[in-house]
């Protein structure tokens, strides 16, 4: 009987320790703000953006983190100064607990349903959308990429793109096969979906393009410019995401 009691208490203790451990791993408002800062501080020229733009970005970044996405921004070469760090942290803290939710979900006041928002909100910084870029892709790399897509080809001789009315590429035709451009662009880290030229050699393709970002991406510079006419970060969010709204997520 004594052994059974000890065993029972041991099991209870294990559940208690496990529960405490899981609770400690959950993001709180404060450490989530810290994670937001770690990402936002690496955005190019973040110190030159206005207050409302940084507030809007903090809501976007916090939403991404909540949905399991983390930015791939490289660590900036020159760290922010102490006053810049203090300013940006203060603006992030101003939006504590605020995330984006679909409007119909927010109207039902059910934050648990907010888990349905799974898509990553991508953004970039570009003051000059006329910047030219080029990317060389080896044909053996392309063949390996196609194989991952379930397409087996022995060789490659042609590569072409289909664009919409805005000049943004939507599809890729390679070896007679059509694929979504987004999959191809992500695989080979292309800078934009505006392709200007493709040349071929025996061993590779060279893809040339213009600008930065993709149709679904947010240009932070445009947010900053719009701020003068739109005002608060709430207005910026409403303009950028007409089908979403800002809610307070009390789960943090």
């Amino acid at each position: 009987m004594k052994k059974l009691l000890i065993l029972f208490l041991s099991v209870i203790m294990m559940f208690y320790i496990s529960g405490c451990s899981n609770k400690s791993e959950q993001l709180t408002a404060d450490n989530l703000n810290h994670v937001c800062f770690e990402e936002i501080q690496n955005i190019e020229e973040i110190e030159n953006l206005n207050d409302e733009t940084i507030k809007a970005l903090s809501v976007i970044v916090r939403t991404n983190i909540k949905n399991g996405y983390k930015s791939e921004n490289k660590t900036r070469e020159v760290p922010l100064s102490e006053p810049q760090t203090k300013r940006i942290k203060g603006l992030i803290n101003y939006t504590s607990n605020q995330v984006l939710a679909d409007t119909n979900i927010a109207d039902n006041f059910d934050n648990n349903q907010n888990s349905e928002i799974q898509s990553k909100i991508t953004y970039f910084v570009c003051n000059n959308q006329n910047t030219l870029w080029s990317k060389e892709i080896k044909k053996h790399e392309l063949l390996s990429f196609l194989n991952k897509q379930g397409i087996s080809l022995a060789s490659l001789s042609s590569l072409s793109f289909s664009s919409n009315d805005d000049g943004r590429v939507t599809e890729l035709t390679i070896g007679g096969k059509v694929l979504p451009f987004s999959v191809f662009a992500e695989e080979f880290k292309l800078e934009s979906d505006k392709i200007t030229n493709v040349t071929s050699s025996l061993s590779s393709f060279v893809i040339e393009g213009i600008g930065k970002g993709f149709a679904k991406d947010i240009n932070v510079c445009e947010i900053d410019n719009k701020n003068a006419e739109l005002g608060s970060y709430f207005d910026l969010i409403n303009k950028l995401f007409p089908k979403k709204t800002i809610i307070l997520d009390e789960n943090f």
Side-chain angles (χ1 to χ4, degrees), residues 225-244:
N225 293 334
K226 286 178 181 178
N227 188 36
E229 60 184 78
L230 293 176
S232 74
Y233 74 102
F234 270 98
D235 296 326
L236 287 171
I237 290 292
N238 289 336
K239 182 71 173 179
L240 292 168
F241 308 100
K243 294 184 179 180
K244 298 190 189 305

Side-chain angles (χ1 to χ4, degrees), residues 36-77:
C36 281
F37 173 75
E38 290 295 310
E39 293 203 14
I40 288 176
Q41 71 170 333
N42 292 321
I43 296 175
E44 182 182 351
E45 298 182 6
I46 184 65
E47 64 274 26
N48 297 325
L49 300 180
N50 63 59
D51 290 1
E52 298 304 306
T53 301
I54 295 175
K55 289 177 187 176
L57 276 172
S58 69
V59 175
I60 291 170
V61 171
R62 186 180 293 106
T63 302
N64 278 343
I65 295 170
K66 181 180 184 296
N67 290 333
Y69 299 108
K70 192 172 182 180
S71 171
E72 295 181 359
N73 288 334
K74 296 180 180 178
T75 302
R76 61 189 298 132
E77 295 181 3

Side-chain angles (χ1 to χ4, degrees), residues 26 66-67 97 99-102 104-118 247-252:
Q26 291 178 355
K66 181 180 184 296
N67 290 333
N97 291 87
V99 295
L100 292 174
D102 288 339
N104 62 328
I105 292 175
D107 287 343
N108 292 329
F109 299 101
D110 187 355
N111 290 356
N112 292 327
Q113 293 183 45
N114 196 21
S115 59
E116 294 179 12
I117 306 174
Q118 294 297 332
I247 64 169
L248 286 175
D249 194 326
E250 302 298 341
N251 292 322
F252 295 133

Side-chain angles (χ1 to χ4, degrees), residues 145-157:
F145 162 73
L146 290 174
N147 188 57
K148 288 191 293 185
Q149 306 305 312
I151 300 172
S152 180
L153 296 175
S155 61
L156 295 171
S157 58

